[in-house]
């Protein structure tokens, strides 16, 4: 489903990612963990096809990125909310839904469905600039889901939201996984990492370890050590 | 099709943003009204044409400003239409006639002043010549008669016959604002559209919504066209408002076609729109975008026809030809003060359209930075 081979990314002289290899199967929930500045967002952006790899290849659904062919299959939630604040949630969803090519009836259905899914149905017609951070995060997730993507790329989806909403989010991610959606999620948080099928550890632009949370716990003693260990390495 | 989705969203956004609307529609009117109120006058160098006047007259004019003599009135009027001369002096039944081009008020005044002082001087000289001749004859008479004849010390110079003055275009009531108004109109349309389109696109970039939009299967060209079409609607309304205000409220001389004027204004605004979108790609913040204004926008006002560039060095002429406002102002001035038609300003329209095409293409090109496919 996702195959990354010998992938390196540089911006000018700065090498951000070096020789990254991994692959992800359909229906997997994979956590990307690593300190900030380690290159998680950069990796996600290559998976969506927002940049040309400096070296190596990134394949999604057997298509080499970057290509528009797979854009419809991918849902993306950026690290910071990218919303049109002058518009309502419904306006935002309509816009992105249309860009993904959803037709009128289908679009209306999907908008109601995702609004319900992220519990924003009651606020759907209020302007966004009055929204709390959590509400904006929920709308960002709704936008990522509007076109029923097969792959969901979530860049720190739960940063800055309260524990209750965080739990709802993860229940939703798990619900999506059970429907066969492949999820790649970057995180800083231990209990989030524990809920993933597999973890990829990134540090200083290198993939330093990979495995199930259990395997990594065995290797490092505890999942907490995974985080601390790599920080100190 | 996708471009229309983007355009629809841009339009919805602008409607929700009252400040942007006010900035777009009311600010230019306010500024133009202020200018209309405060503009005074100035002077320029002019060239004067003559037909069938004594060489001595041309000599006197040349002491002040360049002069050219023409074989016939037709040839001279042709030269005036090509703006080689500002005013034309010719004699008919011993009466001097003055024809003023009329498109440029400060030049009109200057030309009139030079011609009238030259006419006065010349008749004074003629008068002196007559005096001399008279004195000579008197001396001869005295010699013949052998007795003194009392003569007045001086004969008053021949009175100048009042010249008849006509204007090729416009009338002499035209104020400086009438002359600069077309160029200023072009400039303000350009400035406001540039700021608004630039800032909106920049906001799209800095808020991450551009990236978010480009994650969808949208083509890069569609986002550029989407913005273009979306803002185009407002640009047409803005242009129409400015034009109505200038021509119908401020009563600026408008002798050409109203729709041709609108076409030029809309093209000018579209150049600003595409340039705003383009330059916003090179700015990291609104502040940086504003920094482009003194570099890319303000110099254009020097080339917009408000200042006479005929004596400027060659490189200025080259820069002049690279500035969109040069063509806009040329077209606007010709339509409004000279009633020019498509045959005169067609080349300006083509140049403006060319600028739009180039800026739009460059825009699609620089968006590769955001997404390579
Ligand atoms: N467009 C860019 N140009 C230059 N450097 C960049 C760019 N994007 C990211 N970086 C650098 O790459 C490194 C990794 O960034 P990022 O992928 O955002 O890390 P993370 O998401 O893990 O916090 C950082 O040092 C960052 O400064
Ligand atoms: Mg990041």
């Amino acid at each position: 489903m996702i195959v990354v081979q010998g992938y390196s990314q540089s911006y000018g002289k700065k090498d951000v990612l070096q020789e990254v290899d991994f692959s992800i199967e359909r229906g997997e929930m994979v956590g990307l963990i690593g300190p900030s500045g380690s290159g998680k967002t950069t990796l996600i952006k290559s998976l969506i096809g927002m940049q040309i790899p400096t070296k190596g290849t990134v394949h999604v659904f057997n298509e080499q990125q970057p290509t528009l062919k797979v854009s419809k299959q991918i849902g993306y939630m950026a690290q910071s909310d990218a919303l049109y604040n002058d518009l309502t949630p419904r306006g935002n969803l309509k816009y992105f839904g249309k860009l993904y090519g959803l037709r009128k009836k289908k679009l209306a259905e999907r908008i109601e469905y995702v609004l319900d899914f992220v519990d924003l149905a009651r606020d759907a017609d209020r302007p966004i600039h009055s929204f709390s951070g959590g509400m904006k995060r929920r709308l960002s997730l709704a936008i990522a889901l509007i076109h029923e993507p097969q792959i969901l790329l979530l860049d720190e989806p739960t940063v800055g939201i309260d524990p209750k909403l965080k739990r709802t989010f993860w229940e939703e991610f798990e619900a999506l996984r059970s429907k066969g959606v492949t999820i790649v999620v970057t995180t800083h948080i231990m209990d989030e990492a524990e809920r993933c099928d597999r973890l990829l550890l990134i540090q200083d632009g290198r993939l330093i370890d990979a495995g199930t949370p259990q395997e990594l716990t065995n290797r490092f003693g505890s999942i907490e050590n995974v985080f601390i260990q790599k920080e100190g390495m | 099709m996708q471009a229309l989705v983007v355009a629809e969203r841009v339009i919805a956004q602008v409607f929700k943003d009252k400040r942007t609307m006010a900035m777009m529609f009311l600010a230019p009117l306010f500024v133009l009204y202020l200018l209309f109120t405060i503009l005074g006058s100035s002077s320029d160098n002019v060239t004067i044409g003559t037909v069938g006047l004594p060489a001595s007259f041309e000599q006197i004019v040349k002491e002040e400003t360049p002069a050219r003599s023409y074989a016939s009135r037709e040839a001279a009027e042709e030269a005036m239409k090509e703006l080689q001369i500002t005013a034309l002096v010719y004699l008919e039944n011993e009466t001097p006639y003055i024809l003023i081009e009329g498109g440029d008020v400060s030049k009109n005044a200057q030309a009139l002043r030079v011609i009238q002082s030259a006419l006065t001087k010349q008749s004074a000289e003629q008068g002196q010549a007559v005096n001399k001749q008279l004195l000579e004859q008197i001396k001869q008479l005295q010699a013949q008669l052998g007795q003194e004849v009392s003569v007045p010390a001086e004969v008053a110079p021949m009175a100048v016959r009042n010249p008849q003055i006509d204007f090729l275009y416009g009338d002499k009531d035209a104020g400086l604002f009438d002359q600069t108004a077309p160029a200023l109109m072009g400039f303000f349309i350009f400035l406001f559209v540039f700021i608004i389109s630039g800032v909106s696109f920049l906001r799209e970039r800095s808020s991450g919504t551009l990236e978010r939009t480009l994650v969808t299967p949208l083509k890069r060209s569609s986002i550029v066209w989407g913005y273009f079409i979306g803002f185009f609607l407002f640009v047409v309304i803005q242009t129409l408002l400015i034009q109505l205000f200038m021509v119908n409220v401020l009563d600026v001389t408008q002798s050409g076609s109203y729709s041709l004027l609108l076409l030029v204004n809309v093209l000018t605004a579209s150049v600003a729109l595409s340039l705003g979108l383009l330059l916003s790609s090179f700015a990291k913040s609104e502040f940086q975008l504003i920094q482009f204004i003194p570099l890319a926008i303000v110099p254009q006002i020097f080339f917009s026809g408000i200042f006479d560039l005929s004596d400027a060095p060659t490189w200025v002429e080259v820069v002049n030809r690279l500035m969109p406002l040069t063509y806009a102002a040329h077209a606007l001035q010709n339509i409004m003060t000279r009633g020019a038609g498509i045959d005169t300003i067609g080349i300006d329209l083509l140049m403006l359209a060319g600028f739009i095409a180039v800026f739009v293409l460059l825009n699609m090109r620089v968006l590769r930075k955001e997404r390579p496919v």
Side-chain angles (χ1 to χ4, degrees):
Chain A
M1 180 140 256
I2 296 175
V3 181
V4 176
Q5 284 171 316
Y7 165 55
S8 302
Q9 189 76 53
S10 319
Y11 297 119
K13 284 208 178 99
K14 191 173 163 66
D15 301 324
V16 176
L17 287 171
Q18 284 166 49
E19 297 293 329
V20 177
D21 288 278
F22 66 87
S23 61
I24 295 173
E25 298 305 318
R26 186 184 138 87
E28 259 193 306
M29 172 133 59
V30 174
L32 276 180
I33 55 179
S36 77
S38 57
K40 302 182 296 294
T41 300
T42 306
L43 182 53
I44 295 270
K45 282 191 177 167
S46 280
L47 295 182
I48 341 167
M50 293 296 279
Q51 55 201 9
I52 299 172
T54 313
K55 260 182 26 203
T57 56
V58 173
H59 281 87
V60 174
F61 283 107
N62 292 324
E63 297 283 353
Q64 182 168 344
Q65 286 283 38
T67 170
L68 290 184
K69 285 185 199 149
V70 292
S71 307
K72 269 192 191 172
Q73 260 65 258
I74 303 175
Y76 170 55
M77 186 169 164
Q79 187 168 346
S80 54
D81 297 302
L83 304 169
Y84 293 104
N85 286 322
D86 299 323
L87 305 180
T88 61
R90 207 183 289 281
N92 274 273
L93 286 166
K94 214 181 207 168
Y95 171 64
F96 286 109
K98 280 184 181 170
L99 288 184
Y100 281 111
L102 297 183
R103 303 264 168 232
K104 253 193 154 109
K105 189 157 168 279
K106 180 80 181 163
L107 179 63
E109 261 173 44
R110 283 301 297 170
I111 289 177
E112 295 319 311
Y113 177 81
V114 293
L115 279 173
D116 225 38
F117 192 77
V118 298
D119 195 23
L120 277 178
R122 266 172 301 121
D123 303 294
D125 297 305
R126 276 176 50 199
I128 292 175
H129 43 74
S130 62
F131 275 25
S132 69
M135 288 165 93
K136 288 185 182 171
R137 228 46 207 136
R138 267 144 65 195
L139 180 57
S140 294
L141 178 62
I143 292 172
L145 295 174
I146 187 77
H147 56 299
E148 289 185 277
Q150 293 298 299
I151 297 176
L152 203 50
L153 304 175
L154 307 166
D155 200 353
E156 308 201 6
T158 57
V159 165
I161 64 176
D162 59 82
K164 190 163 158 271
L165 182 58
K166 200 178 291 177
R167 187 186 303 158
T168 326
F169 262 38
W170 276 88
E171 280 163 12
E172 283 161 2
F173 299 158
E174 276 159 7
L176 288 163
R177 172 176 56 182
S178 68
K179 287 188 197 162
V181 176
T182 309
I183 299 175
V184 180
V185 54
T186 72
T187 181
H188 279 307
I189 305 157
M190 276 180 272
D191 62 329
E192 289 189 357
E194 275 173 329
R195 299 174 87 145
C196 296
D197 299 322
R198 206 145 57 88
L199 297 174
L200 301 173
L201 260 70
I202 297 181
Q203 195 182 3
D204 289 337
R206 291 180 186 278
L207 184 61
I208 57 164
D209 211 338
T212 62
Q214 192 54 53
E215 282 168 359
L216 291 183
T217 310
N218 294 344
R219 227 169 287 167
F220 292 92
S222 76
I223 199 80
E224 194 171 15
N225 280 351
V226 175
F227 280 84
I228 296 164
Q229 189 79 16
K230 63 188 178 55
E231 303 272 0
M233 259 169 79
Chain B
M1 212 23 231
Q2 284 178 317
L4 292 183
V5 176
V6 177
E8 191 189 343
R9 192 260 305 156
V10 169
I11 292 168
Q13 258 186 311
V14 176
F15 270 122
K16 291 263 163 66
D17 186 357
K18 300 285 177 286
R19 258 169 78 115
T20 299
M21 293 263 276
M23 169 92 167
M24 208 160 10
F25 295 145
L26 300 180
L29 302 190
F30 173 69
V31 174
L32 282 168
Y33 180 70
L34 261 183
L35 266 169
F36 171 75
T37 319
I38 48 189
L39 266 189
S41 69
S42 69
S43 76
D44 277 297
N45 258 349
V46 296
T47 304
I48 286 162
T50 61
V51 180
L53 273 103
S56 59
F57 175 80
E58 205 178 312
Q59 217 43 56
I60 296 167
V61 171
K62 273 188 177 158
E63 284 169 25
E64 283 228 34
T65 195
R68 274 184 222 168
S69 64
Y70 292 87
S72 69
R73 224 183 106 187
E74 283 72 23
E77 279 188 18
E78 208 42 54
M80 178 177 284
K81 281 186 184 140
E82 283 163 30
L83 300 184
Q84 288 167 7
I85 55 174
T86 309
L88 165 65
V89 191
Y90 59 93
L91 284 174
E92 224 169 50
N93 306 325
E94 303 288 318
T95 309
Y97 282 82
I98 301 173
L99 184 64
I100 304 268
E101 198 263 341
D104 182 329
V105 174
S106 56
K107 283 189 176 180
N108 294 349
Q110 171 82 349
L112 262 183
R113 195 184 58 72
V114 171
I115 292 169
Q116 283 187 325
S117 82
L119 281 173
T120 316
K121 249 194 213 166
Q122 209 219 355
S123 54
E125 271 174 28
Q126 263 177 4
Q128 273 164 15
V130 171
N131 274 0
K132 249 190 208 155
Q133 227 177 334
L134 271 175
L135 281 174
E136 210 63 41
Q137 286 174 346
I138 288 166
K139 266 187 201 147
Q140 277 176 15
L141 272 174
Q142 282 176 338
Q144 278 173 12
L145 298 172
Q147 63 176 93
E148 286 270 321
V149 179
S150 71
V151 278
E154 206 183 78
V155 177
M158 194 175 84
V160 188
R161 293 217 202 164
N162 268 345
Q164 299 294 309
I165 302 168
D166 264 312
F167 286 81
L168 189 59
Y169 309 109
D171 59 344
K172 60 178 182 295
D173 294 335
L176 183 63
F177 186 71
D178 285 52
Q179 172 229 329
T180 50
L184 285 173
M185 176 164 76
F187 176 76
F188 283 110
I189 288 177
F190 200 93
L191 180 66
F192 283 101
V193 172
F194 174 85
I195 294 175
I196 286 161
S197 67
V199 168
S200 314
F201 206 55
L202 186 75
R203 212 185 285 165
E204 179 108 34
R205 199 177 291 273
S206 55
S207 69
T209 48
L210 178 65
E211 182 195 271
R212 189 64 196 76
T213 296
L214 287 172
V215 169
T216 71
L218 179 76
K219 288 198 200 70
R220 271 187 318 230
S221 56
S222 297
I223 190 154
V224 178
W225 284 123
Y227 257 81
F228 196 87
I229 297 166
F231 271 109
F232 190 76
L233 177 85
F234 296 101
V235 159
V236 172
I237 299 174
Q238 183 206 47
T239 307
L240 203 60
L241 264 179
I242 292 180
Q243 195 171 320
L244 276 171
F245 184 69
M246 298 269 286
V247 178
N248 300 53
V249 180
L250 298 186
D251 224 10
V252 172
T253 313
Q254 208 305 81
S255 32
S257 148
Y258 211 86
S259 49
L260 190 61
L261 185 62
L262 188 64
L263 176 66
V264 175
N265 277 332
V266 166
L267 278 177
T268 306
S270 302
V271 177
L273 171 54
S274 49
L275 183 65
L277 297 185
L278 181 63
L279 288 189
S280 74
S281 310
F282 302 101
K284 290 199 171 65
S285 63
E286 266 121 342
F287 182 58
Q288 284 194 353
L289 184 74
I290 299 306
Q291 288 169 344
F292 278 122
I293 292 176
L295 273 176
I297 312 299
V298 172
Q300 296 207 57
I301 203 168
F302 305 145
F303 300 106
S304 59
I306 294 173
F307 304 102
D308 184 17
L309 293 183
S310 26
D311 291 335
T314 325
W315 69 266
V316 172
E317 181 59 25
V318 172
V319 176
N320 184 24
R321 284 176 190 274
L322 292 176
M323 298 274 184
L325 262 190
T326 304
Y327 303 95
H330 180 253
L332 293 172
Q333 252 165 357
N334 276 291
I335 294 173
M336 292 183 76
T337 53
R338 305 192 176 106
I342 192 105
D343 46 326
T344 317
I345 59 147
I347 185 77
D348 298 311
L349 295 181
L350 281 180
M351 285 306 293
L352 291 174
F355 277 111
I356 298 171
V358 169
F359 291 154
V360 165
L361 286 176
L362 281 177
N363 239 307
M364 294 172 184
R365 181 79 216 172
V366 297
L367 272 182
R368 276 169 182 269
K369 236 177 20 183
E370 249 53 53
R371 191 186 65 187
V373 289

